Amino acid sequence: MSLLPSSKLSALHFYSPSAHSRLSFPSPRIPYTRTQTLRTFCAKRTGKRRYPSEKKKLKLKNKEILSNLKTKNKFEGIWRLSKLGVPVGKDPGKDFLHVSDGLLEEIAKVLEFPVASMLPREAFSVVRKSFDSRKMLKEPKFVHTVDMDVKELLNLEPRTYDFISRLEPKVGLVEHVPVGGDSGNLISIIDECKKNSAEMMIAERGHNLSSYSGGSYHSQANRKPKVAVVGSGPSGLFASLVLAELGADVTLIERGQAVERRGRDIGALVVRRILELESNFCFGEGGAGTWSDGKLVTRIGRNSSSVLAVLKTLVHFGAPNSILVDGKPHLGTDRLVPLLRNFRRHLQELGVTIKFGTRVDDLLIEDKNVVGVRVSNSGDKLHVSSQKLECDAVVLAVGHSARDIYQMLLSHDVVLVPKDFAVGLRIEHPQELINSIQYSGLAAEVRSGRGKVPVADYKVVNYVGLEEAYTPSAAANRGCYSFCMCPGGQVVPTSTSPSELCINGMSFSRRASRWANAALVVTVSMKDFEALNFHGLLAGVEFQREFERRAAVMGGGNFVVPVQTVTDFLENKLSETTVPPSSYRLGVKPANLHELFPIHITEALQHSISKFDKELPGFICKEALLHGVETRTSSPIQIPRSAETYESPSLKGLYPVGEGAGYAGGIMSAAVDGMYAGFTVAKNFSLFHGDIESVLGKAQTDTSVKY
């Protein structure tokens, strides 16, 4: 008895290599559903909405792909099938990252294979999975990207041969990808580089392999170059990892504490209001991102070799494999802490000296060359414990809250460039409300992060044009957008001084909190700083401090946060009634937040919140609470560096990297920047002789304030 419908039997043929050369088939259209990841802003133009220039570019790309495919064999390598939408009812859920029955049905549609259940799951692997619940869709879907191993598929199901022969590439939907382009984690990448280098040395010099130590490229050097890495955030950690793996003598200097003690210090702040100036939500092992949502999204290329290398390195140190597949990967503080502990142990095994609780007070400079750093115990305000550490290079990987470092650099005439950033307020809603807005009837499936669909989030942006401003003021021509949205999270204090108050959001891995919060921020520039009589290269820093001090006063001190309901904020009034509950644990105080910012920033926020409510009906409600103040969205300064050597033009031997230097915006972009910097510094010291781009791809930086 046949397992196939009789009408479909004639469509199936067994694979026959001898028949390969004489078979010829037409190229039918592929019935394929085009879906996109959930976004509420800047929707990607598709179909008739594309600009003529975009249509022309897409046509040329399709032509190029078809031309390239003629020189390749369809029956070799990997085919990537993208935008495979599986309805929620047919998908096991967000935590299932394998090939489901529903996904097999979508794959069968692309191949035009008649019986999906006959397709062997082993031939397919899910490389991306995201959830799309946009209202324009008939029903919410899980959208997959799948790699199809043709050789494996033909071995397991030879009758797919005819269907593969008719498969035609289409940009963004069906693409033939090269075999062997998948890189490993950073450690394995460097091991491979060292192995290749050793083989080249043997071939060129005729040495025995036993004479190669394997420790670094520069085995004949008299001594290892000494490199001081300042800051143990993502950029500092990845720079240290690369340099140590390539044979440098690395000292990692961190003003804050290791995650174990840092956690206790943060607990003392939240419970007893005791702020440790050098160990808090901003300073300490892992940087400010450790106690955050742990987002691993980035705009520098999710599928780039460098980003994949970082993600796989995080998995190597304990992150779940799901971050390699999840369309919006995140870790959460509870997963970041053990990951960082594993990362630290590996660095120590490589011989890296790690100095926690150690603040860099100054650079040691001779003839415009950095020759070391002057450090002291972080708790020593008088610098009595000051000591010198000599080194050949300093990788400056501080975060955007290390304001004293900017001042120190200015004292040495290091060139600094003021940079735009954003300030605003953090809005909090009940998470159930956001689930309902985004998912409608599907909201019940969230189940506090343990359900079938992910905890709902949002990302919104509005540009306030001249005609849209309430008054013809400086509110016009500004961007206002959501920043660091934390579903199932809480609002936390990120102050680094008792007289200043600023906040951020954080989440744990399950995102199980009752609240959802996000910053709503407005772009600001040098004109705004000068309007408040702040001038000079550090005007942006003083601008931040001004509003942090105002927020502290409005809250009454002791890290109490001034709050106002969204409805009151829009009407510029302060109701006598009590405010809704907040996740902020140190207390809130009702206040008129119109008294916080200049009128143009307040107006931009008012106008944008009204616009956001049109995109997310219910965004304006009596339960929505605004918290002040959010100021540290990105660095107010950029430290110029050479694009080739990463070295500061002001001081030889100084390598500014990461978020504090103005070259990153989030965990991923900071880690990537630190990784490239590590290779570049190693190359400058002849520890690495290869081509960096051939290993990691072309370097990209994220200097914008939106992430």
Side-chain angles (χ1 to χ4, degrees), residues 183-189 232-235 237-239 241 286 289-290 293-298 302 305-324 329-332 335-344 346 666-672 675:
S183 60
N185 63 58
L186 186 53
I187 299 168
S188 64
I189 289 173
S232 69
S235 57
L237 288 172
F238 275 82
L241 177 59
T290 305
D293 186 54
K295 291 181 182 63
L296 302 179
V297 293
T298 178
R302 170 66 194 271
S305 298
S306 57
V307 169
L308 289 175
V310 169
L311 288 172
K312 291 177 181 180
T313 304
L314 295 178
V315 170
H316 176 79
F317 288 124
N321 283 302
S322 60
I323 67 171
L324 302 175
H330 92 110
L331 287 173
R335 285 176 173 166
L336 277 166
V337 169
L339 185 154
L340 286 167
R341 190 182 297 120
N342 294 336
F343 206 128
R344 182 208 315 158
H346 182 77
I667 292 174
M668 289 303 298
S669 57
V672 167
M675 183 169 59

Side-chain angles (χ1 to χ4, degrees), residues 410 414-420 537-538 635-640 661-662:
L410 272 185
V414 174
V415 175
L416 303 179
V417 179
K419 187 172 74 65
D420 295 355
L537 298 176
L538 299 183
S635 173
I637 289 294
Q638 186 173 71
I639 308 171

Side-chain angles (χ1 to χ4, degrees), residues 464 466-473 475 570 602-604 606-608 610:
V464 184
L466 185 61
E467 70 283 356
E468 295 175 304
Y470 289 134
T471 59
S473 69
L570 294 176
T602 302
E603 285 185 355
Q606 284 180 298
H607 181 273
S608 298
S610 299

Side-chain angles (χ1 to χ4, degrees), residues 232-251:
S232 69
S235 57
L237 288 172
F238 275 82
S240 298
L241 177 59
V242 172
L243 286 163
E245 289 281 358
L246 291 174
D249 181 358
V250 180
T251 299

Side-chain angles (χ1 to χ4, degrees), residues 35 83-97 100 103 106 128-133 137 139-145 439 442 451-454:
T35 58
K83 300 180 182 178
L84 302 174
V86 179
V88 172
K90 292 185 176 182
D91 194 282
K94 69 179 192 307
D95 296 323
F96 185 83
L97 303 178
S100 64
L103 182 54
E106 297 304 315
R128 188 79 72 250
K129 182 175 182 177
S130 57
F131 186 59
D132 190 346
S133 65
L137 300 176
E139 58 181 333
K141 296 181 178 182
F142 284 99
V143 183
H144 300 73
T145 299
Y439 297 160
L442 200 61
K452 196 171 189 179
V453 300

Side-chain angles (χ1 to χ4, degrees), residues 46 233 273 304 384 484 617 666:
T46 58
R273 303 176 191 273
S304 66
V384 176
C484 190

